[in-house]
Amino acid sequence: MKISRDKHFDDYDALVTIFGGLDDNVSRIENAFDVKIFTGSSVMKITGEEKDVKDAISAIDAIATLSKKEILTKAQISTVIEMVKSGQVESLGDLLGTVAITAKGKVIRPKSLGQKEYVDAIRKNKIVFGIGPAGTGKTYLAVALAVTAMKNHEVERIILTRPAVEAGEKLGFLPGDLAEKVDPYLRPIYDALQDMMGGESYLKAIERGNIEIAPLAYMRGRTLSNSFIILDEAQNTTREQMKMFLTRMGEGSKIVVTGDVTQIDLPHHVVSGMKDAVQVLDGVEDIKVIRFDHRDVVRHELVSRIIRAYEKADKEREQRKNENGDK
């Protein structure tokens, strides 16, 4: 049975502030919950089936509450809608919990349910794997948490590393030693650190040895204690490299491993160390795997659509391959 409910706001300006691009966001709620919404000067009239209306109002209430902290992006509004639809209304209150504050005073918060689970997992576990497409904040959030941990004296240093596989045979043609050759591949990590710490503090931390950025090959033979260690682009490690890296962990340390298993640059006959580790370490205490998808992309909304399109194409390609193999 269809019903109508009114949702009142203090004034029209408050309603506009909450929903930003009003028509677009109202349409999202209408489509998600199969309701019709009429907006007046300071009231919304929601019409539809009773449960749908109730859920739509829950989403509107959550958006209103969260918008008091900051203006929500389209991705965040989509996350709110998805959480309401999946019965996770109680988790909405802390969706925008603070992760860190940048050198310029910007508050870093989880912008999707996947990001919130990732942040919580890093805080609770010794080793966390963050697996998912570009734009989901895997590396940036890990760096933010690492800087916060060092500022709070939970660790003495931050160690960041990546395999040099991406450069392939071209490494030999680049000038400088190995560290200088892979420097361009570590640029996203440099940028995240400087954003969190500010340029001057970042350089001082490098000089004191509180921050170390190095190719994965430099980790061999070391024991990394009292450190927050991040291995980025881990899909390009081999089994041997991943085992070597994980066994460097010492007392008082935390490890975050990030990567996208759909972007493996290893030779076809070489198994990704990241994919292998997730299988081998399944069920091991204090190790958590968080998988991101297109819903967690916090870059331009078009990036999320591109990822979905590629995922669909990959599934269709795999299906055709299996069908041809059966014939």
Side-chain angles (χ1 to χ4, degrees), residues 262-326:
T262 68
Q263 298 290 326
I264 297 173
D265 298 306
L266 296 166
H268 292 299
H269 66 279
V270 178
V271 176
S272 166
M274 186 176 207
K275 293 179 71 173
D276 180 66
V278 169
Q279 294 176 349
V280 171
L281 301 175
D282 182 36
V284 175
E285 185 179 357
D286 237 351
I287 297 179
K288 183 75 173 178
V289 178
I290 302 296
R291 298 183 185 276
F292 297 92
D293 59 28
H294 64 86
R295 293 170 295 183
D296 301 303
V297 173
V298 294
R299 291 180 184 170
H300 193 285
E301 193 174 19
L302 185 57
V303 175
S304 179
R305 295 182 204 151
I306 291 170
I307 291 169
R308 287 201 302 270
Y310 271 98
E311 288 175 348
K312 180 181 178 182
D314 288 341
K315 287 180 181 178
E316 292 175 349
R317 192 178 296 113
E318 188 66 26
Q319 186 177 356
R320 288 195 299 270
K321 181 179 178 182
N322 292 335
E323 289 174 353
N324 293 333
D326 293 337

Side-chain angles (χ1 to χ4, degrees), residues 99-101 108 139-149 192-193 196 228 230:
V99 175
I101 299 176
I108 306 300
T139 302
Y140 191 86
L141 287 173
V143 170
L145 288 165
V147 172
T148 300
L193 278 169
M196 292 303 307
F228 196 119
I230 300 173

Side-chain angles (χ1 to χ4, degrees), residues 206-240:
I206 291 282
E207 291 173 3
R208 291 194 301 264
N210 295 123
I211 294 178
E212 179 182 347
I213 306 174
L216 183 59
Y218 285 21
M219 298 297 110
R220 187 173 299 278
R222 301 177 59 186
T223 300
L224 309 175
S225 302
N226 302 312
S227 304
F228 196 119
I229 312 151
I230 300 173
L231 171 58
D232 196 29
E233 298 292 343
Q235 75 275 5
N236 287 328
T237 60
T238 64
R239 285 173 172 167
E240 293 75 16

Side-chain angles (χ1 to χ4, degrees), residues 122-161:
I122 293 173
R123 286 171 171 162
K124 295 175 183 177
N125 297 274
K126 294 294 185 184
I127 298 178
V128 173
F129 288 83
I131 304 173
T136 51
K138 304 182 300 295
T139 302
Y140 191 86
L141 287 173
V143 170
L145 288 165
V147 172
T148 300
M150 189 169 71
K151 286 181 177 178
N152 293 340
H153 305 290
E154 297 168 14
V155 296
E156 295 175 358
R157 58 181 173 165
I158 299 171
I159 299 174
L160 307 110
T161 184

